[in-house]
Amino acid sequence: MSFRPEFLSKTDETRIQNAPFYLDWDQKWVVTEKIDGQSGSFAVKREPKKLFKKESFETFVCSRNVRLGKPDNSSYWRVWKRYGIEEKLIALCKQLDCDWVAIQGECIGPGVQGNKYKVTEPDLYVFNFITSKDGRWATGDGEQLLVPLGFKWVPILGVEE
């Protein structure tokens, strides 16, 4: 295991129960379901271009606190492979002309938080899409971009004005 990449913050979403004062702010809120699993971050970052070498990308698979080294049988690596995250993030990085792109989400599955969803294999529900150019995308925009690519988004329960 190694340190998380400096460009990618830990998954630390604010729950309204912990910060009810946000309800007094004059802005629109998107209410999503809190999926009970283990949070993870997945990213690709462009490597500096070298003369006569084709473009390459460094990949990142992270638990909440650390970057995970080599592929193993953990839920993080299993969803990485299942969803083809590397290929999809590289394509998005190129399409959006970014230095890096990342998704953050909740991994669920056997052996994770008692598997309350009773799934038979690890799964991933994305709650953040982040790019080097635009930072964190709005919830609806991230969902619209990623769901057509085969990702699951955390359930959106409503929008509060």
Side-chain angles (χ1 to χ4, degrees), residues 10-92:
K10 288 183 179 184
T11 55
D12 195 16
E13 301 305 295
T14 302
R15 295 185 67 174
I16 199 64
Q17 294 92 330
N18 299 334
F21 56 87
Y22 284 141
L23 295 173
D24 295 332
W25 290 12
D26 186 28
Q27 61 180 283
K28 185 166 87 172
W29 294 97
V30 178
V31 181
T32 61
E33 181 179 339
K34 177 6 183 145
I35 301 295
D36 192 19
Q38 55 190 13
S39 61
S41 301
F42 307 88
V44 298
K45 181 179 179 185
R46 287 181 197 265
E47 292 287 335
K49 191 124 176 163
K50 296 182 180 154
L51 194 60
F52 304 114
K53 275 199 122 180
K54 70 180 199 176
E55 185 173 46
S56 64
F57 292 83
E58 184 176 3
T59 59
F60 301 86
V61 176
C62 304
S63 69
R64 183 176 187 282
N65 293 312
V66 297
R67 181 179 182 183
L68 304 175
K70 297 177 181 167
D72 58 24
N73 202 33
S74 69
S75 61
Y76 302 105
W77 284 107
R78 289 177 67 190
V79 298
W80 174 264
K81 183 177 178 183
R82 175 181 180 187
Y83 284 100
I85 293 174
E86 179 176 14
E87 296 80 11
K88 290 174 183 176
L89 291 185
I90 287 172
L92 285 169

Side-chain angles (χ1 to χ4, degrees), residues 122-138:
D123 210 348
L124 176 68
Y125 286 84
V126 178
F127 53 75
N128 280 335
F129 178 67
I130 311 161
T131 70
S132 60
K133 285 172 93 174
D134 300 312
R136 181 180 177 208
W137 284 34

